[in-house]
Amino acid sequence: MSTSPAPVAVIDIGSNSARVVVYEQEAAGHLRIRAGSRAALRLVSDVDSQRRLSEDTMARAMDVLRDFRAIALGAGAERVVAVATAAMRDADNGTVFLERVRRELGIEVELIDGAREARYGFIGAVRGLPVDDGLVFDMGGGSMQVSRFRGRALEKDWSLPLGSLRLSQTFLVSDPPKSGEARKLKAHVRELLHDARIPKLRAGETLVGTGGTVRNLAKIDRRGRGYPITRLHGYSVTRRHLHEAVARVADTPLRKRDSIPGLSDERADSIVGGALGIETLVETVEASAILVSGQGVREGIAYSLLAGTVPDGPSVRRESIAALTARFTAWDADVAARRQSVASQMAASLLEGDGSELAESVAHAALILDIGRSVDFFERYEHAADIVLATELDGFSHREMALLSAILRTARDEDADLRPLSPVLKADEREAVGRAAMVLALADDIEERCPRGAAIAVRCEVARQEVRLDIPALAGWRPRGLGQRFERTFGRKLVVLAGGA
C-alpha cells in the first residue's frame, strides 16, 4: 500500500518579506497546507542603500528563521527546503549570512537565480488555474519575474529589478506621490520591459499575476464588488478595475492607506510603486485583465519536490475534487461514483445541447454532494454549495466554481436565490443551471433506490413529448414532485421504468 510523502516545509526569503509554509500531499496529488507564517524583512532596503545587509537586519532575519524552523518542526515536517531570492543575490554579504543560517540553525538556504525563481513561480501560479497559454508575472519586493508559457509548459523567462519596494523607494518621494514621480516610475518600467523584449499577449492568451502586490490590489477590487467567492485564487481584475485600484492607493496618503479595505498594513509603504509597475506591465503587454493566482514560488517548489509536472486542466480539477471529498468522513466513494455515473449517463442525452462544461459540472456536483452530509443530511445540497465557494478547488475558474455551487443549490430548490452569484454567473444561464440541477436531483433520487454494490445502467430515450428512463437496477420509484419539476424544466413528461419493467 502506497503512502503519501512526508510533509515538507518551504521557506522563501524574499526581498520584502519571508514566508514558511508546511505542505502535505494528499492521496490525489493535491497540496494541503498544514501550517504557515509570514514576516516582513525589508532586505532590499539595506541592499539598495548600502549593497549589504546590516547587523540589525540579519539579527531580525535570524529571529524570523528560528521561528519558522519551530513552525516546521511543530507541523511534523521531515524536510525543510529554503530559498533566497533577489535581495540576497544582490547583497555583498548575502552568502555570508546564509552560511550563518546554516551554522546556527541547521537550515541550508539555496540562493536561486532569477531563472529558477521564474520557473518555480510559473509552476505554482499556472498549475492550479484553468489556463493554457500566456504570460505569468511574479512581483516581489526586489524583482519581477515574467514567464511565457504555451500548452501549460514554460517557454521563456525574464527577471527584472522591478520589485514593489525597490520601485517605491527609488522613485516615490512625496506622500502621496506626485504625478511626475509616477510618470518617471512608469517610464522606467516601460523601458526595462522594452529592453527585455517582453512580448505582447496574443489572441486567446492570459496574463496571470502572483505575489503580494497583485493580490492586495485584487482584494481592494473585490471588497468593492460584493463578490460571492471568498478565495482570491482565480479572481480576475479587469484593466479598468485595476486602474481604479491603483489610483486609489496612489492618491491616499501613507498614514491613511492602511484603512483601505483589502490592503495589508505591511504593504502600505510599498503598494504604490508595485501597483504602478503592474499597471505599466498590463498596458505594455496589452492585457484586458489579470487572472490572479494565490500560489507562486513556494507552491512551485513544493510541487517540484512532491508532485513533479504541471498536469492538464481536467486532471487538476479531478485531483481537487478527490482531495476535497477525502476530507469528509460522511462522504462515501461508492455512493458518489454511482450517483456520478447515473448523472453522466442522463446528461449525455438531456444536456446534449448545453455543451461539455455543464455536463462536467453535473458530474463533479454528483460526486461531491455528500460532503454536505458532514454538516446536516437534510440540508446537504446547500452545505455542499457553500463549501464549494469557500474551499480550495485548483483548476477551476471562479465561474466554474459558481456554476458548480449554483447547480448544487438549485438541485434542492428550483427557485433558489442565485443573485449573490451574479458577479460571476450571467442571468441568462439560469435555465441551463436548472436543467443541470434537475439531472443531479434525479440522479440522487435514483441512486438511493438501487441496491448497493452494483453498477447502475441507465438507458435514456428523449422523444417529442416524453423522456423515458429504463433502469434495470432500480428497485422502485415514484415521481412525487420530481416528475412535475422535470416536466417544467424540460417540457416533457418523465417516465421511469424500474426493474426492467
Side-chain angles (χ1 to χ4, degrees):
M1 180 177 179
S2 63
T3 58
S4 297
V8 59
V10 177
I11 296 175
D12 176 13
I13 305 173
S15 300
N16 188 31
S17 61
R19 281 185 180 272
V20 60
V21 183
V22 181
Y23 300 96
E24 60 181 337
Q25 185 179 2
E26 298 176 304
H30 186 269
L31 290 182
R32 186 176 186 182
I33 296 176
R34 277 197 172 193
S37 184
R38 177 184 183 275
L41 292 180
R42 302 290 198 269
L43 301 182
V44 74
S45 298
D46 279 4
V47 175
D48 282 354
S49 63
Q50 57 192 25
R51 298 296 302 173
R52 59 189 293 110
L53 303 175
S54 69
E55 287 298 326
D56 287 345
T57 296
M58 288 191 288
R60 187 172 68 253
M62 287 296 292
D63 287 341
V64 167
L65 293 175
R66 190 172 288 108
D67 179 55
F68 284 3
R69 183 184 61 176
I71 290 172
L73 293 173
E78 295 186 13
R79 184 179 181 186
V80 176
V81 177
V83 300
T85 56
M88 204 69 72
R89 291 194 297 264
D90 297 341
D92 291 341
N93 59 345
T95 55
V96 174
F97 173 70
L98 297 185
E99 172 57 26
R100 177 180 169 185
V101 173
R102 184 197 65 77
R103 186 177 62 252
E104 296 184 18
L105 301 180
I107 299 174
E108 296 278 358
V109 181
E110 182 180 4
L111 190 60
I112 61 173
D113 59 20
R116 286 278 296 285
E117 187 176 359
R119 176 176 172 271
Y120 287 138
F122 156 74
I123 293 173
V126 169
R127 191 187 189 283
L129 291 174
V131 293
D132 293 315
D133 310 300
L135 294 170
V136 177
F137 74 89
D138 181 357
M139 175 172 275
S143 65
M144 177 168 65
Q145 277 59 241
V146 181
S147 304
R148 184 173 189 83
F149 64 97
R150 181 165 295 279
R152 295 175 70 81
L154 181 63
E155 281 192 343
K156 186 175 175 58
D157 58 76
W158 300 263
S159 183
L160 306 170
L162 297 175
S164 57
L165 194 58
R166 177 164 276 164
L167 288 173
S168 294
Q169 293 180 341
T170 302
F171 291 95
L172 307 181
V173 179
S174 307
D175 181 28
K178 296 179 180 178
S179 58
E181 296 171 356
R183 282 196 300 271
K184 288 181 180 178
L185 184 154
K186 297 189 71 171
H188 173 72
V189 174
R190 273 193 298 270
E191 181 180 2
L192 266 62
L193 293 174
H194 178 267
D195 290 347
R197 298 184 178 180
I198 303 296
K200 292 180 172 57
L201 288 177
R202 301 169 185 168
E205 292 187 332
T206 304
L207 178 63
V208 176
T210 187
T213 300
V214 72
R215 290 174 195 146
N216 270 254
L217 291 170
K219 288 177 185 177
I220 293 170
D221 179 53
R222 187 179 64 180
R223 286 289 185 89
R225 295 182 57 196
Y227 199 72
I229 298 176
T230 57
R231 195 184 186 201
L232 195 65
H233 184 74
Y235 183 79
S236 181
V237 183
T238 66
R239 190 164 170 172
R240 179 172 67 85
H241 287 151
L242 174 67
H243 178 73
E244 292 172 355
V246 173
R248 184 174 184 183
V249 296
D251 293 341
T252 304
L254 178 59
R255 68 181 185 279
K256 297 181 179 180
R257 203 172 292 154
D258 59 3
S259 65
I260 298 175
L263 178 60
S264 168
D265 293 350
E266 293 180 350
R267 295 194 181 275
D269 63 338
S270 65
I271 187 71
V272 179
L276 291 168
I278 290 173
E279 185 177 47
T280 307
L281 174 67
V282 168
E283 294 165 354
T284 301
V285 303
E286 299 181 356
S288 60
I290 300 172
L291 184 62
V292 179
S293 175
Q295 302 173 353
V297 169
R298 292 174 297 280
E299 288 77 13
I301 293 172
Y303 274 120
S304 296
L305 293 170
L306 299 175
T309 60
V310 178
D312 60 32
S315 296
V316 175
R317 290 192 288 274
R318 287 192 295 269
E319 286 180 8
S320 296
I321 292 293
L324 174 62
T325 54
R327 299 173 190 172
F328 295 86
T329 57
W331 184 79
D332 187 310
D334 179 60
V335 169
R338 284 165 24 117
R339 183 191 300 114
Q340 184 186 57
S341 174
V342 173
S344 295
Q345 290 177 74
M346 292 192 297
S349 298
L350 296 175
L351 304 180
E352 185 178 12
D354 289 309
S356 59
E357 180 188 43
L358 202 65
E360 181 182 345
S361 295
V362 170
H364 288 318
L367 198 64
I368 68 173
L369 169 59
D370 284 342
I371 64 176
R373 287 175 183 255
S374 297
V375 183
D376 178 76
F377 172 80
F378 294 104
E379 303 295 331
R380 63 192 186 279
Y381 285 93
E382 291 87 342
H383 291 308
D386 290 338
I387 291 169
V388 164
L389 296 181
T391 195
E392 300 173 7
L393 279 180
D394 285 353
F396 288 81
S397 68
H398 279 203
R399 183 188 172 283
E400 289 167 335
M401 291 172 66
L403 181 61
L404 187 54
S405 179
I407 290 171
L408 285 161
R409 198 174 300 280
T410 309
R412 168 76 173 187
D413 177 10
E414 63 181 317
D415 297 318
D417 184 8
L418 301 183
R419 287 176 297 178
L421 299 176
S422 60
V424 190
L425 286 182
K426 299 176 182 177
D428 59 7
E429 294 183 278
R430 178 76 199 222
E431 290 187 4
V433 168
R435 289 190 291 272
M438 183 67 247
V439 170
L440 174 59
L442 187 55
D444 188 38
D445 206 63
I446 291 169
E447 187 283 327
E448 65 183 6
R449 286 165 174 77
C450 294
R452 293 288 183 97
I456 305 171
V458 180
R459 188 173 72 181
C460 180
E461 296 180 357
V462 180
R464 183 184 297 274
Q465 295 184 341
E466 69 178 24
V467 171
R468 184 179 294 263
L469 300 178
D470 188 354
I471 311 170
L474 190 62
W477 191 80
R478 58 189 178 90
R480 302 176 311 287
L482 276 180
Q484 297 174 353
R485 178 179 170 183
F486 186 95
E487 191 165 352
R488 289 194 297 272
T489 301
F490 288 100
R492 294 174 173 85
K493 183 181 178 181
L494 177 63
V495 178
V496 177
L497 303 179

